[in-house]
């Protein structure tokens, strides 16, 4: 009987709780709705969902990159080192950020043009003194030069051989120099540039002499320990004088950069630096002290003139590396290219002195390596530049490398003064006619 009682009419459920009506095949969902569980989305909605997912991924990546940039900026703010921006494109030396020329020296404002003229006048005056030291006699009258030319197993290739070497060196350096300027890749094209002096030097000996042994590959004829010791410590004393004067005046001494350089790679930076410069030094000196120095001495019969010409060629050969390859301590490449020959020319007097005194290229090789290692491992870090960490912000502020190092005028003037000592020593004994 209960089954026959009429049931009360229940209200219809709200539309939000109503079960979705199954769609027929090919029927699309109404526009603006989101597919629920058990429903399939139309192709248009699938595309919108994919775009939303991709946008979410992009937003997360952007947020991550922003966090990384913020962390890098914070680290850069707390670091003592300057983060050099990378330059892309052809001829990067035109856009590379460099340290501005110093406007103040010893607290006084200095015009750059006046500064350059002053340096030029001082250098010219010292050069005149150097030349005046040998005006009263021919170089061959020196006993030291005479013995070297006649007994040191350095056969003369003749004027044609010397001209061949210099012309081929200019041609080779022009080609490699172009690629250095265009790409700035000093690791690749700097290596090919470095092959010029030894390769062309040995080619010259092979063509114009009978034996490659004319480069004299033996060690010093006597007092080898003395010449090797001088080769190590004369660059230290000469360069150290300029750095010491700068540090005393500028109060720019950075022990942290020195410590970071020496302890880099758990101390491995020291042997790596020595090996790197040993390779570059032996490559250069096979061409310079093995071929160019003795051949120029044969051609001129003058220690002073031969040293001057060899040092000038040596400095000009470095200019593509200085300007295009960025080998300029981050200062103005024009300034570095201007100072480089002023430094290499008096430096060549020391190398030529070692060559004629010892007869051997190996003390010259040691002097070349010592010069570079003293700068890279000791002196430059003292004023804020590390070979492996870069420049300190304080060093850029002080603009140290316009004053010291291979491109600083104090280094060039120190070697100029040192050259006078070697000229006097070589020319103090004469041959009795």
């Amino acid at each position: 009987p209960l089954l026959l009682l009429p049931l009360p009419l229940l209200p219809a459920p709200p539309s939000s709780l109503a079960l979705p009506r199954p769609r027929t095949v090919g029927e699309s969902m109404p526009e603006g709705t989101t597919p629920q569980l058990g429903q399939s989305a139309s192709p248009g909605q699938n595309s919108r969902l994919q775009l939303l997912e991709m946008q979410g991924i992009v937003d997360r990546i952007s947020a991550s990159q922003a966090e990384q940039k913020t962390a890098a900026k914070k680290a850069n703010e707390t670091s003592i080192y300057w983060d050099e921006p990378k330059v892309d494109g052809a001829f990067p030396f035109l856009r590379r950020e460099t340290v501005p020329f110093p406007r103040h020296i010893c607290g006084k404002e200095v015009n750059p043009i006046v500064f350059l003229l002053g340096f030029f006048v001082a250098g010219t005056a010292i050069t005149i003194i150097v030349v005046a030291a040998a005006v009263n006699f021919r170089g061959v009258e020196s006993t030291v030069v005479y013995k070297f030319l006649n007994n040191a197993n350095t056969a003369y290739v003749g004027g044609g051989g010397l001209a061949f070497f210099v012309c081929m060196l200019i041609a080779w350096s022009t080609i490699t120099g172009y690629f250095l300027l265009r790409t700035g890749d000093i690791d690749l094209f700097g290596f090919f540039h470095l092959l010029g002096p030894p390769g062309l030097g040995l080619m010259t000996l092979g063509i114009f002499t009978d034996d490659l042994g004319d480069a004299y590959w033996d060690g010093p004829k006597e007092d080898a320990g003395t010449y090797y010791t001088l080769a190590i410590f004369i660059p230290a004393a000469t360069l150290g004088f300029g750095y010491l004067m700068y540090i005393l005046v500028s109060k720019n001494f950075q022990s942290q950069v020195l410590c970071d350089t020496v302890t880099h790679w758990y101390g491995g930076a020291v042997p790596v630096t020595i090996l790197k410069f040993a390779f570059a030094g032996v490559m250069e000196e096979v061409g310079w002290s093995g071929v160019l120095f003795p051949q120029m001495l044969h051609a001129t019969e003058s220690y002073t003139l031969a040293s001057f010409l060899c040092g000038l060629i040596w400095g000009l050969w470095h200019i593509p590396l200085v300007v295009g390859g960025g080998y300029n301590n981050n200062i103005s490449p024009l300034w570095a290219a201007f100072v480089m020959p002023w430094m290499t020319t008096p430096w060549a007097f020391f190398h030529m002195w070692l060559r004629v005194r010892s007869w051997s290229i190996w003390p010259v090789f040691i002097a070349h390596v010592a010069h570079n290692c003293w700068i890279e491992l000791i002196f430059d870090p003292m004023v804020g530049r590390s070979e492996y960490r870069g420049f300190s912000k304080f060093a850029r502020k002080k603009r140290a490398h316009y004053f010291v190092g291979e491109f600083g005028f104090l280094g060039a003037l120190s070697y100029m003064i040192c050259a006078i000592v070697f000229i006097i020593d070589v020319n103090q004994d004469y041959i009795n006619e």
Side-chain angles (χ1 to χ4, degrees):
L2 295 176
L3 296 176
L4 299 177
L5 293 177
L7 295 174
L9 296 177
L10 298 176
S15 59
S16 59
L17 299 178
L19 295 176
R21 178 181 62 83
R23 289 182 291 112
T24 60
V25 178
E27 180 182 1
S28 61
M29 292 183 65
E31 186 175 356
T33 61
T34 303
Q36 304 294 329
L37 185 63
Q39 292 183 312
S40 60
S42 66
Q45 288 180 321
N46 282 333
S47 300
R48 285 194 294 273
L49 289 173
Q50 292 174 357
L51 288 175
L52 290 174
E53 291 177 357
M54 292 177 62
Q55 184 63 42
I57 294 174
V58 170
D59 291 341
R60 288 193 295 271
I61 293 176
S62 300
S64 176
Q65 291 177 344
E67 292 177 358
Q68 292 177 359
K69 289 181 179 180
T70 303
K73 183 178 179 180
K74 185 177 180 181
N76 186 47
E77 291 174 353
T78 58
S79 173
I80 66 172
Y81 295 100
W82 173 67
D83 187 14
E84 182 177 1
K86 185 179 180 181
V87 179
D88 297 320
F91 302 102
F93 73 95
L94 296 174
R95 300 180 301 279
R96 187 176 289 124
E97 184 177 347
T98 59
V99 178
F101 194 85
R103 294 285 183 175
H104 295 81
I105 298 178
C106 298
K108 297 182 179 180
E109 186 173 357
V110 177
N111 187 299
I113 298 177
V114 175
F115 184 84
L116 288 172
L117 289 176
F119 174 75
F120 181 79
V121 170
T124 303
I126 294 178
T127 302
I128 293 174
I129 295 174
V130 168
V131 175
V135 294
N136 295 323
F137 53 87
R138 294 183 299 112
V140 77
E141 293 176 352
S142 166
T143 304
V144 176
V145 174
Y146 179 83
K147 290 181 178 179
F148 175 79
L149 293 179
N150 289 275
N151 302 295
N153 191 27
T154 55
Y156 184 35
V157 298
L162 183 58
F164 172 82
F165 174 75
V166 174
C167 290
M168 291 298 293
L169 183 65
I170 292 173
W172 179 266
S173 301
T174 300
I175 296 172
T176 57
Y178 167 76
F179 287 103
L180 280 167
L181 292 172
R182 182 172 180 81
T183 66
D185 190 348
I186 195 172
D187 294 329
L188 177 59
F189 294 108
F191 173 75
F192 285 107
H193 193 74
L194 186 63
L195 293 177
L200 297 172
L202 295 177
M203 181 188 297
T204 302
L205 292 181
I207 294 174
F208 293 92
T209 65
D210 299 329
D211 188 4
L212 293 180
D214 289 328
Y216 193 85
W217 303 105
D218 296 337
K221 60 183 177 62
E222 59 185 9
D223 297 332
T226 300
Y227 291 116
Y228 287 134
T229 301
L230 293 174
I232 293 173
F233 290 104
I234 284 182
T238 307
L239 292 166
F241 173 77
Y243 279 90
L244 178 62
M245 295 297 295
Y246 169 78
I247 291 173
L248 290 176
V249 173
S250 68
K251 305 298 189 292
N252 175 22
F253 178 79
Q254 301 185 47
S255 58
Q256 181 62 49
V257 179
L258 177 60
C259 180
D260 290 345
T261 302
V262 175
T263 60
H264 192 68
W265 294 337
Y266 303 98
V270 174
V272 168
T273 302
I274 295 174
L275 289 175
K276 178 180 70 173
F277 286 126
F279 172 77
V282 74
M283 294 288 283
E284 283 195 54
E285 291 309 328
V286 167
W288 303 138
S289 62
V291 179
L292 181 62
F293 286 7
Q295 298 305 323
M296 192 68 74
L297 199 58
H298 274 289
T300 62
E301 296 186 341
S302 169
Y303 166 81
T304 304
L305 183 57
S307 300
F308 177 82
L309 293 176
C310 290
L312 186 61
I313 293 172
W314 188 14
L316 294 176
W317 175 83
H318 276 87
I319 287 181
L321 298 169
V322 170
V323 177
Y327 177 58
N328 52 37
N329 287 346
N330 202 239
I331 64 175
S332 168
L334 296 180
W335 167 264
F338 173 76
V339 174
M340 191 69 181
W342 285 91
M343 192 276 297
T344 57
T345 300
W347 188 13
F349 282 82
F350 172 49
H351 282 197
M352 185 74 81
W353 180 85
L354 285 173
R355 185 71 164 95
V356 299
R357 279 291 189 182
S358 69
W359 294 10
S360 173
I361 71 171
W362 300 115
V364 187
F365 158 70
I366 294 297
H368 195 149
V369 176
H371 168 94
N372 291 335
C373 288
W374 281 116
I375 290 178
E376 297 294 338
L377 292 175
I378 303 297
F379 293 136
D380 263 7
M382 287 168 56
V383 297
R385 174 185 170 272
S386 171
E387 173 72 9
Y388 302 97
R389 299 295 298 273
F391 289 85
S392 71
K393 298 173 183 177
F394 189 68
R396 286 177 56 82
K397 180 180 178 181
K398 286 290 188 177
R399 305 174 188 183
H401 289 87
Y402 284 99
F403 303 97
V404 293
E406 293 182 311
F407 313 108
F409 72 92
L410 289 176
L413 291 177
S414 298
Y415 268 118
M416 288 178 186
I417 297 172
C418 195
I420 300 176
V421 177
F422 300 119
I423 291 177
I424 295 173
D425 177 78
V426 169
N427 295 317
Q428 65 182 345
D429 296 327
Y430 306 99
I431 298 173
N432 295 324
E433 297 182 349

